Amino acid sequence: MENGVRAQASRARQQAILQAALSLFLNNGFGATTLEQILERSGASVGSFYHHFQGKVEVAAALYLEILDSYQSAFLRELRRHREARAGIEGTVRQHLRWTGHNQELAAYLTHCREPEVAAASEARAQNLNRAFFGQTGAWLAEHLRQGLLRRLSPHLYHALWIGPADEFTRLWLLGSRPRDVKQLARAEDVLASAAWNNLRAPSPRRVRP
Amino acid sequence: MENGVRAQASRARQQAILQAALSLFLNNGFGATTLEQILERSGASVGSFYHHFQGKVEVAAALYLEILDSYQSAFLRELRRHREARAGIEGTVRQHLRWTGHNQELAAYLTHCREPEVAAASEARAQNLNRAFFGQTGAWLAEHLRQGLLRRLSPHLYHALWIGPADEFTRLWLLGSRPRDVKQLARAEDVLASAAWNNLRAPSPRRVRP
Amino acid sequence: MENGVRAQASRARQQAILQAALSLFLNNGFGATTLEQILERSGASVGSFYHHFQGKVEVAAALYLEILDSYQSAFLRELRRHREARAGIEGTVRQHLRWTGHNQELAAYLTHCREPEVAAASEARAQNLNRAFFGQTGAWLAEHLRQGLLRRLSPHLYHALWIGPADEFTRLWLLGSRPRDVKQLARAEDVLASAAWNNLRAPSPRRVRP
Amino acid sequence: MENGVRAQASRARQQAILQAALSLFLNNGFGATTLEQILERSGASVGSFYHHFQGKVEVAAALYLEILDSYQSAFLRELRRHREARAGIEGTVRQHLRWTGHNQELAAYLTHCREPEVAAASEARAQNLNRAFFGQTGAWLAEHLRQGLLRRLSPHLYHALWIGPADEFTRLWLLGSRPRDVKQLARAEDVLASAAWNNLRAPSPRRVRP
DNA sequence: AATGAATGAGCCTTCATTCAT
DNA sequence: GATGAATGAAGGCTCATTCAT
């Protein structure tokens, strides 16, 4: 039982380090963040830090992967709640906006902290996550495609038309000066959701005939 | 005449430094690029470098501003070639894709090299550029809005629906493995251009069921 | 009985640590060997290590003393087997070569691992061993000296002429690339043994021209 | 001309660093010597140090090679002064003892500072030196061998019998407590020189016949 | 305009060791 | 006897920048 207590304390320390690193990376960037700052803010000692992590980049990589996984899981959870094509596509766009509003720091990290050093350290594992993610969304779409409800497009174009507008919007919103107004996201939901649907749905037969 | 020759040589050196820095920043990131690497690749000496630039960040900032200006100028040149709303909006989307294809390194720099240190050094001047840019596009749009041809939306949403899909698409394309296939951009032009137009144009009365 | 079993396990652990340390010190040097490496190779935990030893240097010192003692004991055992001067001197030279062949790692440690840190920790005890050793060899030689069979020389010179050639030979042999050929040692025995004897014996009256 | 002055100052700094490092390595060992100590004693700054050397090991390696070259050059110079086999062999043994007396620190470095880290860094270049050195001594010996004045032995044995005793002697002498008595070396010259000659010369025909 | 030696603050990291459990 | 998380002093080294020439 004592072990349990220790393991828990150990995990708490890890979380404290990750948390401290996250906000520092966001404010100062990865390169400008010093280990000393991370230690100071997390209350860890040098040795303790290196007992839990291999180094600074590993922390950044771990952070990126954790956040990416969290975003993708939420996205897929939302997608699976829907049977209908339109509901799924619009729902995930709304979900994207809501997740960004609730996890501003995480979203900012996902978007901005992509320095080559860190990217290299997380690349392999990130690709695994992405492969799984696109596999799942692809499977969900497959049926609706078969029914002719959606346009046939290359995967990149699909992604661009689906999430592109919302992603661009949240990107700009995150760049804006703080404190950010979460209501702006809510107000944009309808427009961005229906834009995604209109971008992806198969052209209605009515439009063809004059 | 001697002065002219010398000034020219001097400018060549500056360009060599900028060029060397650009590719290094792109491959290794700003933080991981050392002055020594820049000097080696450009053939400049320490003293020569500091004769031409104030320091490393100034080079990165100058690079960013130069590229941003180049992109925006090309965008505006294209926009001004068109009188009609649809032609302008679709034309600039195509222009975005073509510019990216022709200036892959510059486009990558614009998208990825946004470290806080550099951002801070270029922010003030970048905002000037952006203000001018959005002023110009806004002026172009104003007339079409007045005529009721376009939806009325907040600026951020406007941008997201206009360039969002194309930007997302080029972002993914730039992340792809090299050598990149420029034809993919050409093939996407039609879809992304008409998506932008459909996203922005005022809803046609025809579509409403009587 | 439990105590006996435990004590035995404990000693096994100690031996495992010494063994692991020995090969690491030989391959990487004392300074470049980390405790972590020793622990990994021996299967001990940090705490366990410090239960058995005071620290890293103590391990190195213990190792040195143990090996030195082993070498000297074997040397003396051989020496005492002989009554005659020549047999003793030649026998120990051969013994030196054989011991080196059978204990290559130990011999290498004795020759090369003499870093000041470790030397300081083992110095006092090493001098005790050496004093005893030289006392014994001196006692053995004394009688033959008295009989005029050996030259009268300073102790250092004595040692240099006796073991010098063989020691130099094994030193070079140990530096050679592995796997080392033990037969080279065997083939050198005759030459080195008789060289030692010729170097040390009193000049024969025969050689002098009448 | 100004360049000449600067280059000279630069070389002076390098020498100061090498000198400082040498005595520190000798007293404390390579591992226990810190860069800070080297800087303090040589008056160089961190940056200056790294401007001239790649790192601590490179200094140690450079030192080793410089000293080895110096020793071998002196050895060969002495050897070439002699035509006769006996004079050459005895002369170089005496030279070995004299060089050790005049360059105690260098000799100690050559003998003791052989940590794997440093050895690895100097190995390739050291082998070049050794190859050249043994090539030269071999060439010198060749003629005398042809004339039947010397025994036929493997190179290692040759070296062991020639320099072994003197080397062992100086090794012990260097280990002795300071200040060392140089006269001890002088007094050993005769014995060690003639021992080398007796070890190497072809057996006199007289000895075979009773 | 150019050179390159010199600077030194500050970085990430290593590692032997301690100690509560 | 054993465990391993925590410690923190100390280390080697990087690198942008300065400056005398």
Side-chain angles (χ1 to χ4, degrees), chain D residues 19-49:
Chain D
Q19 197 56 49
L22 175 59
S23 65
L24 286 163
F25 289 161
L26 280 168
N27 291 324
N28 314 332
F30 173 79
T33 297
T34 71
L35 205 56
E36 203 181 3
Q37 293 170 332
I38 298 175
L39 299 178
E40 189 183 4
R41 196 176 280 211
S42 67
S45 68
V46 199
S48 186
F49 176 89

Side-chain angles (χ1 to χ4, degrees), chain C residues 34-89:
Chain C
T34 71
L35 203 58
E36 203 182 3
Q37 294 170 328
I38 298 173
L39 299 178
E40 189 185 6
R41 196 176 280 211
S42 67
S45 69
V46 198
S48 184
F49 175 88
Y50 279 95
H51 180 74
H52 290 295
F53 297 95
Q54 287 190 26
K56 200 173 75 157
V57 295
E58 201 221 319
V59 173
L63 233 26
Y64 181 77
L65 293 168
E66 191 176 307
I67 298 170
L68 182 61
D69 187 39
S70 160
Y71 170 83
Q72 293 180 338
S73 298
F75 190 99
L76 289 174
R77 248 193 323 276
E78 176 66 28
L79 190 62
R80 289 201 196 97
R81 289 184 50 224
H82 304 283
R83 295 268 130 196
E84 294 207 20
R86 177 171 190 168
I89 284 162

Side-chain angles (χ1 to χ4, degrees), chain C residues 167-168 171 207 209, chain D residues 167-168 171 199 206-207:
Chain C
D167 203 15
E168 190 82 17
R171 197 185 309 277
R207 271 164 142 189
R209 294 270 182 94
Chain D
D167 203 14
E168 191 84 16
R171 199 185 308 277
N199 284 336
R206 297 247 162 87
R207 268 162 143 194

Side-chain angles (χ1 to χ4, degrees), chain A residues 14 18 53 56-69 109 118 121-122 125:
Chain A
Q14 277 194 50
L18 287 169
F53 296 96
K56 204 173 74 159
V57 297
E58 202 220 320
V59 173
L63 230 28
Y64 180 77
L65 293 167
E66 193 177 305
I67 298 171
L68 181 61
D69 187 40
Y109 191 78
V118 181
S122 59
R125 283 169 292 169

